[in-house]
Structure formats: structure tokens, C-alpha cells
């Protein structure tokens, strides 16, 4: 149980920007260097990318880059080739969630369905007199172009832009204010699918985080480097956001976002949003979506059986919930599998687990219903809190457990839960991450001073009454079980449930010793939860250090590796794998 040492000081070896060398190319910086790679005789160049990108800045950069007096440019904005907004909305919204203020069903289908093919073909017709025609905007790759560039912006910037009312939603008219709801549930799935379909065709990848001096790499190097990563352990770039419950552990211990209000949800490896840095170092690199690495080599990363089950979706997520000096999370649940599929459109649901990396002295974990809880009265109180701002005592309905460092709390879909103030939770969960159906949020107000949204009807529709009473402690707060051991190391199962497709293990290694691991055709994800860290060495000799609080993805193709503790103290790593 909670016997782990609790690190209170800075983690000096923590690397916030892990970066991997590019194979067969160098990172170019600036539009002019990118323009210099365009093959002579190109008549149509397509520049595709997210809807939220500042496409005017992209056009300005390209105009200046090709402004050598020899190249005549004709720009065509593919956003003018989308179908009318009413049709786009009809094709991308469902009856059930059309008027939902927070959620939409995950968009299926292809981006091409939102475009008018005749209008697109007309835009893509080569220019006259040898002019270079530049097709710009999301969907440009669908036009008939000689060369395809991908201008990308890591998703956290898209989210920030939309929160501030900047940028456009996919296929939306210019005067339609952007919404996070469409960005997350409609734009991203459509654009991600479109990007993955085009991955083999991309001639240049341009990271437009800096619109004036973007970093870029050749398409061949992009694919070769990603395919090479799929054969060795690697890290994604960790980032933290701020929320009304956020704390200060990641600021104080890991040095993240020192000027932010707080560090709340830490994106360690959240496949739909995480990125991998490719290049020389953080000052000269491109960020590429982790999910693109998976899409290019699904069998190597996931292993054949997991690929069969989940397609190209990397199904496990690691993140932090930092409430040290912050507040309680909302008490919420996640959709039960049928509802997740039929209403929200994800093929698998958001089962979660909380590993308590740190626990406050009197901190709590909310988990499961109380024995005999009056669900009707709970529903009534939750509704009154939402509609009239009437507070109520959530502990009358939901159980509270002391937060214990080193303990895992399983949170299958439908279980009411939330971490209390004062904790660092390492969340080891299924990848869906946007479906927190809130029962109660303490009448808390958001940055715009509105009561934060709760989702009473969705939450109660998905509440699993079986997660109540003594069964909660018995089934969801399990004791570690020894699994295997060797000279100076042991591995234990911290949590496993028939309903959940992944298990959480912990590997403990004494100083100077090494734990032997086999992937058995399934990827592993590891985080160092105690001690300074370890060196991971694969069967073919790839090495990767992993330090306190860092997370490492170990592709299935690695087959066997050793976790070597080269430090002076015992080290412990949490490991997840699909079963
Ligand atoms: O709804 P709030 O309070 O912001 O908490 C939301 C967070 O809750 C945790 O239990 C997890 O489900 C996270 O994936 C989620 O982001």
C-alpha cells in the first residue's frame, strides 16, 4: 500500500522536451528554406493542415519566400470549396446531441464529404503561364497537386486559440464564432483521419507554431524517423494546462508553466493530443502528432493483437491530475460502453485508474456510491445544484477514501469519482479523455465567472449502481499481487478487472539491479513513480533513460528489454499494458 517515498523537492533530471534525432534530413527553419526544397517545375502546391491555423500568415510567409521575382504565385483558398454550413452541420451533428452545449458525437466520415468536388477541382487547376498555384487550407490535399506540404499546429495551440475566439472551425464560414465543442468532437477526428490517410503522400512537414520562422522537415525523413521510433522506447512531450482545481506540484517539482495560474491536467501520453519532437534539440525541431507515429507503424507500436482490437488508436493514456494546493475535482463518471458507442461515438470507453503518486495528509479520493445511497435524491440534489445553485453534501451519496501514496484506485466507466485536493494522481486510463460527465462541481465558477458546466442527465444515465457499498473497496482498491521477481527486482499487479482491457503493474528495482521485461506482442507504457530513474535497454541495444515523473512508451516491436537501476536508491515504475 502506501509505503512509497514521497519526493518533495525538485526533480533535477526531469526532461520537459525529449527530442529525437531526425534520420536522413536536417531541420529547416523559415519559409524561405522550405520554399527552396520545392522541385523545379511544380505547378500546383497543396498546403494542408488544421482549420484553426492562421492561414493568412501562412500565405504571407509563402509569398515572401517565393518573392524572388521568378516565381509567379496564384493562391487558392480551399475553404471556399466547402459545402454550405447548413449541409456541413447536418452531415456532422447527430439528432441526440445537436443541442447539447458541451458534447457532440465524434464525427465519422471523411473530410471530402464536406467539400464540393467541382469547386475544389476548379481551384486546383494549374495556373497559366507557368505560375505556381498554391492551394491553401484544410483539405488542400484532396485537390490534384504535384506536391503536398502539411502545415501543422500542436493541438494545445488550437484549443487556446478557440478559447480566445480566434481561428475557425472546420468548414465553418468566416463569421461563425469557433467553438471548443466542434473543435474537439468534430474537427479533430475528421482532420486526424484525413492527415493519417495522407501520411504517405506528404512531401514536407511544417511545424507552424512560429508562423514567421516555421521549422520543417522532408516527408521521407518524417516517415523514416517515425518508423524508426516505432522500434524503440520514446517519450512524448509533456505539457500541463490550468483548470479551476489545478495545483502547483508540476510547477514546483517539474518546473512546468512557472507563470501559469496552476498546473492541473498533465498530458503525459494522451494519444489524440500528444506530440513527439524530432530534430536536434528543443530549439530546432518539429513536433509531430504521436498518433501519426502509430498510424505509420501500427503493428510495430501496438502489436498485432492490439492493432486488431483498436485499429490505429493507441488505447492507453497516462496523465497527471495535480491538486497540490488546488481544489477537489468535480465528482463525475464516464460513459458506460453502450452509451459511449451509441451516443458519443467512441468504439471503446473511458475506463480509468488513479495511481496516487503523492497524497496530502488528509486528502481524499471520492469513489463509488455509498451502500444504499438514495439515487433519486442524489439526482434531485444534483439537478438543484445545477439549476438553482443549491449546494449539497456529496458525501451523503458518494464514498470517500483516504488518499494513500502508492495505492491504485480503479475507476471503471459509470463509477462516480474524483481526486480530492492535495494529491498527485498518475492517471492510467483508456485513451478517451473528454467525457467527464459531472454530477457535482461544488458550484465552482470558471475563468469567465460562470458556474462550471455539469452534465446531470448524461451522468445519471451512465451511473453504474453496482459500483456501491463494500464492493467498491473490495473490487476497486486492490492489494498489490506479486507477479514475478528476479535478483533485486519484482513486479506486482496493482489493478486488474475483467471489465477493463488494460492492467496496471508496478516494477520495483534495487540499486544496481535490472528487471527483465518482455512485451509479448503488446506495447508497454512506463512512468517512474519513485526514485531517480532507470536506464531502459532493449534486446537490440537501444538505450533510453527515464527519470522521476517521466513516461516512456515501449512499442510492442521491442520484444524484450531491461530496466536497470543505476542510481543509489530503489526505483519503482508503474507499467500499463493491454491484456
Ligand atoms: O471535470 P473535472 O473536475 O475538470 O475533472 C476532469 C478530470 O477528471 C479525472 O477523473 C479524469 O476523468 C480526467 O480525465 C478528467 O480530465
Amino acid at each position: 500500500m502506501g509505503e512509497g517515498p514521497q519526493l518533495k523537492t525538485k526533480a533535477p533530471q526531469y526532461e520537459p522536451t525529449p527530442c529525437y534525432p531526425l534520420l536522413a534530413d536536417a531541420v529547416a527553419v523559415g519559409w524561405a528554406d522550405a520554399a527552396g526544397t520545392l522541385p523545379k517545375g511544380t505547378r500546383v502546391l497543396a498546403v494542408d493542415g488544421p482549420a484553426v491555423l492562421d492561414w493568412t500568415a501562412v500565405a504571407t510567409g509563402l509569398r515572401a519566400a517565393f518573392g524572388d521575382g521568378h516565381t509567379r504565385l496564384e493562391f487558392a483558398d480551399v475553404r471556399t470549396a466547402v459545402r454550405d454550413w447548413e449541409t456541413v452541420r447536418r452531415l456532422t451533428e447527430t439528432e441526440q446531441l445537436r443541442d447539447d452545449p458541451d458534447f457532440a458525437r465524434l464525427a465519422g466520415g471523411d473530410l471530402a464529404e464536406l467539400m464540393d468536388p467541382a469547386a475544389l477541382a476548379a481551384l486546383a487547376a494549374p495556373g497559366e503561364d507557368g505560375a505556381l498555384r498554391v492551394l491553401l487550407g484544410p483539405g488542400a490535399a484532396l485537390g490534384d497537386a504535384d506536391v503536398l506540404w502539411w502545415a501543422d499546429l500542436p493541438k494545445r495551440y488550437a484549443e487556446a486559440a478557440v478559447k480566445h475566439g480566434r481561428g475557425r472551425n472546420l468548414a465553418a464560414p468566416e463569421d461563425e464564432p469557433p467553438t471548443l465543442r466542434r473543435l474537439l468532437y468534430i474537427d479533430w477526428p475528421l482532420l486526424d483521419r484525413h492527415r493519417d490517410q495522407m501520411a504517405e503522400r506528404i512531401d514536407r512537414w511544417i511545424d507552424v507554431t512560429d508562423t514567421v520562422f516555421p521549422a520543417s522537415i522532408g516527408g521521407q525523413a518524417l516517415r523514416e524517423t517515425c518508423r524508426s521510433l516505432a522500434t524503440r522506447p520514446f517519450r512524448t512531450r509533456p505539457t500541463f494546462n490550468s483548470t479551476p482545481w489545478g495545483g502547483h506540484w508540476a510547477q514546483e517539482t517539474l518546473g512546468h508553466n512557472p507563470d501559469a495560474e496552476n498546473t492541473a491536467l498533465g498530458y503525459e501520453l494522451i494519444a489524440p493530443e500528444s506530440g513527439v519532437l524530432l530534430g536536434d534539440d528543443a530549439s530546432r525541431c518539429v513536433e509531430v502528432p504521436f498518433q501519426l507515429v502509430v498510424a505509420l507503424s501500427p503493428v510495430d507500436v501496438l502489436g498485432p493483437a492490439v492493432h486488431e482490437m483498436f485499429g490505429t488508436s493507441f488505447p492507453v493514456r497516462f496523465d497527471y491530475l495535480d491538486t497540490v494546493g488546488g481544489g477537489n475535482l468535480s465528482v463525475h463518471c464516464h460513459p458506460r460502453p453502450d452509451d459511449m458507442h451509441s451516443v458519443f461515438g467512441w468504439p471503446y470507453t473511458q475506463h480509468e485508474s488513479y495511481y496516487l503518486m503523492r497524497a496530502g495528509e488528509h486528502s481524499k479520493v471520492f469513489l463509488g456510491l455509498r451502500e444504499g445511497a438514495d439515487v433519486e435524491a442524489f439526482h434531485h440534489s444534483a439537478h438543484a445544484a445545477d439549476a438553482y445553485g443549491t449546494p449539497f453534501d456529496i458525501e451523503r451519496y458518494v464514498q470517500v477514501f483516504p488518499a494513500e501514496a502508492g495505492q491504485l484506485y480503479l475507476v471503471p466507466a459509470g463509477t462516480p469519482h474524483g481526486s480530492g485536493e492535495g494529491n498527485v494522481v498518475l492517471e492510467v486510463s483508456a485513451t478517451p479523455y473528454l467525457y467527464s460527465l459531472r454530477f457535482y462541481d461544488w458550484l465552482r465558477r470558471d475563468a469567465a465567472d460562470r458556474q462550471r458546466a455539469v452534465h446531470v442527465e448524461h451522468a445519471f444515465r451512465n451511473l453504474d449502481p453496482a459500483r456501491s457499498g463494500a464492493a467498491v473497496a473490495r473490487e476497486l482498491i486492490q492489494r498489490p499481487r506479486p507477479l514475478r521477481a528476479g535478483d533485486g527486482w519484482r513486479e506486482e499487479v496493482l489493478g486488474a478487472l475483467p471489465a477493463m482491457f488494460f492492467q496496471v503493474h508496478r516494477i520495483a528495482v534495487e540499486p544496481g539491479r535490472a528487471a527483465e521485461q518482455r512485451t509479448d506482442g503488446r506495447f508497454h507504457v512506463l512512468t517512474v513513480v519513485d526514485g531517480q530513474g532507470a536506464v531502459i535497454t532493449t534486446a537490440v541495444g537501444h538505450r533510453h533513460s527515464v527519470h522521476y515523473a517521466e513516461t516512456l512508451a515501449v512499442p510492442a516491436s521491442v520484444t524484450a528489454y531491461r530496466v536497470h537501476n543505476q542510481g543509489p536508491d530503489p526505483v519503482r515504475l508503474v507499467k500499463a499494458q493491454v491484456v
Side-chain angles (χ1 to χ4, degrees):
M1 297 276 275
E3 75 276 22
Q6 294 203 40
L7 196 87
K8 294 214 170 57
T9 51
K10 274 195 177 303
Q13 293 178 301
Y14 178 81
E15 173 52 70
T17 51
C19 195
Y20 297 89
L22 193 61
L23 302 183
D25 197 8
V27 176
V29 176
W31 290 109
D33 280 12
T37 67
L38 194 72
K40 284 217 173 345
T42 302
R43 295 198 306 161
V44 182
L45 163 66
V47 187
D48 205 321
V52 89
L53 203 67
D54 182 349
W55 287 100
T56 309
V58 172
T60 306
L62 287 171
R63 200 182 297 281
F66 286 111
D68 54 6
H70 304 298
T71 317
R72 280 210 312 109
L73 288 180
E74 292 176 359
F75 283 97
D77 184 342
V78 297
R79 292 174 297 181
T80 61
V82 293
R83 296 188 189 279
D84 67 274
W85 185 228
E86 266 324 296
T87 307
V88 167
R89 291 201 56 204
R90 188 170 43 74
L91 291 170
T92 52
E93 293 275 1
T94 56
E95 185 75 33
Q96 197 168 359
L97 295 180
R98 180 167 296 127
D99 299 320
D100 193 291
D102 303 303
F103 298 104
R105 185 185 170 86
L106 215 63
D110 288 325
L111 178 54
E113 292 158 24
L114 308 186
M115 317 278 293
D116 173 347
L120 189 61
L123 287 179
E128 286 173 10
D129 306 332
L132 171 64
R133 193 152 185 83
V134 184
L135 271 184
L136 276 186
L142 299 167
D144 195 8
D146 307 318
V147 174
L148 172 60
W149 289 359
W150 206 271
D152 199 53
L153 185 69
K155 283 181 170 157
R156 59 189 176 280
Y157 296 106
E159 195 172 334
V162 169
K163 269 191 187 145
H164 291 100
R166 296 195 309 270
R168 269 203 237 178
N169 281 127
L170 185 61
E174 205 173 345
D175 58 358
E176 184 71 29
T179 65
L180 272 181
R181 176 181 173 277
R182 280 197 73 89
L183 178 77
L184 305 179
Y185 302 107
I186 294 168
D187 300 0
W188 283 355
L190 279 164
L191 285 165
D192 289 352
R193 219 164 16 248
H194 172 58
R195 179 204 61 217
D196 291 352
Q197 281 161 4
M198 296 298 155
E200 294 293 346
R201 274 189 49 202
I202 295 172
D203 295 299
R204 191 150 200 90
W205 180 272
I206 312 177
D207 180 335
V208 199
T209 306
D210 181 338
T211 51
V212 181
F213 293 106
S216 68
I217 60 173
Q220 200 53 37
L222 166 76
R223 286 180 288 274
E224 265 183 49
T225 311
C226 288
R227 288 197 168 113
S228 148
L229 280 181
T231 65
R232 53 195 299 171
F234 65 98
R235 289 180 62 210
T236 50
R237 173 197 208 143
T239 60
F240 275 79
N241 69 7
S242 297
T243 72
W245 48 256
H248 305 283
W249 168 78
Q251 287 174 316
E252 287 163 8
T253 308
L254 310 180
H256 277 282
N257 309 0
D259 303 326
E261 204 181 323
N262 59 55
T263 36
L265 182 65
Y267 289 64
E268 277 300 291
L269 201 183
I270 301 192
E273 289 203 36
S274 289
V276 183
L277 301 181
L278 307 182
D280 310 336
D281 55 44
S283 66
R284 204 177 173 93
C285 65
V286 295
E287 182 167 337
V288 301
F290 169 76
Q291 205 39 71
L292 183 64
V293 179
V294 184
L296 283 167
S297 311
V299 175
D300 278 352
V301 176
L302 303 172
V306 178
H307 176 41
E308 179 81 27
M309 280 186 265
F310 295 96
T312 56
S313 174
F314 190 87
V316 169
R317 147 174 74 96
F318 273 46
D319 58 71
Y320 288 118
L321 304 169
D322 172 4
T323 58
V324 176
N328 297 328
L329 266 63
S330 65
V331 176
H332 56 275
C333 75
H334 303 297
R336 292 166 75 179
D338 283 356
D339 210 74
M340 185 59 137
H341 191 236
S342 63
V343 178
F344 297 105
W346 263 92
Y348 60 100
T349 199
Q350 189 169 340
H351 294 305
E352 297 190 331
S353 74
Y354 282 3
Y355 180 81
L356 268 279
M357 201 127 139
R358 278 198 57 183
E361 218 170 304
H362 303 292
S363 296
K364 303 171 176 177
V365 172
F366 299 85
L367 188 67
L369 286 170
R370 287 179 82 104
E371 181 72 49
D374 182 342
V375 173
E376 223 171 285
F378 180 16
H379 195 152
H380 187 267
S381 300
H383 174 71
D386 181 23
Y388 314 113
T390 315
F392 70 100
D393 180 9
I394 188 83
E395 296 187 21
R396 282 179 60 192
Y397 308 109
V398 172
Q399 298 190 56
V400 175
F401 295 92
E404 277 191 62
Q407 176 63 47
L408 186 82
Y409 303 78
L410 294 171
V411 188
T415 311
H417 67 284
S419 168
E421 184 279 326
N423 297 329
V424 178
V425 172
L426 172 66
E427 234 198 286
V428 178
S429 295
T431 288
Y433 63 118
L434 297 171
Y435 303 90
S436 293
L437 310 177
R438 298 186 189 133
F439 296 99
Y440 187 53
D441 194 39
W442 321 95
L443 309 183
R444 188 164 26 206
R445 307 193 78 75
D446 64 15
D449 201 31
R450 284 180 304 243
Q451 194 169 302
R452 271 214 318 169
V454 293
H455 321 99
V456 175
E457 298 316 316
H458 288 312
F460 279 92
R461 191 177 71 245
N462 282 285
L463 174 64
D464 185 349
R467 302 294 176 198
S468 78
V472 173
R474 194 176 56 242
E475 293 168 10
L476 307 186
I477 310 180
Q478 303 179 356
R479 301 244 160 209
R481 299 180 293 287
L483 184 66
R484 41 183 164 244
D487 178 20
W489 68 273
R490 64 181 195 282
E491 178 170 351
E492 48 201 358
V493 179
L494 296 186
L497 269 188
M500 291 171 63
F501 64 79
F502 61 92
Q503 283 191 359
V504 185
H505 296 189
R506 186 168 54 196
I507 305 166
V509 194
E510 294 301 321
R513 302 302 154 96
E516 303 290 342
Q517 294 288 307
R518 300 191 58 79
T519 60
D520 291 326
R522 283 156 154 74
F523 69 86
H524 292 176
V525 183
L526 306 167
T527 297
V528 177
V529 292
D530 294 304
Q532 286 183 3
V535 175
I536 310 296
T537 310
T538 70
V540 298
H542 288 131
R543 284 163 66 87
H544 199 303
S545 299
V546 58
H547 305 114
Y548 175 74
E550 293 178 352
T551 298
L552 193 69
V554 183
S557 64
V558 162
T559 64
Y561 64 98
R562 307 179 80 208
V563 182
H564 192 177
N565 179 0
Q566 298 183 336
D569 304 313
V571 83
R572 297 201 297 183
L573 299 95
V574 161
K575 171 177 111 176
Q577 65 186 70
V578 176
V579 287

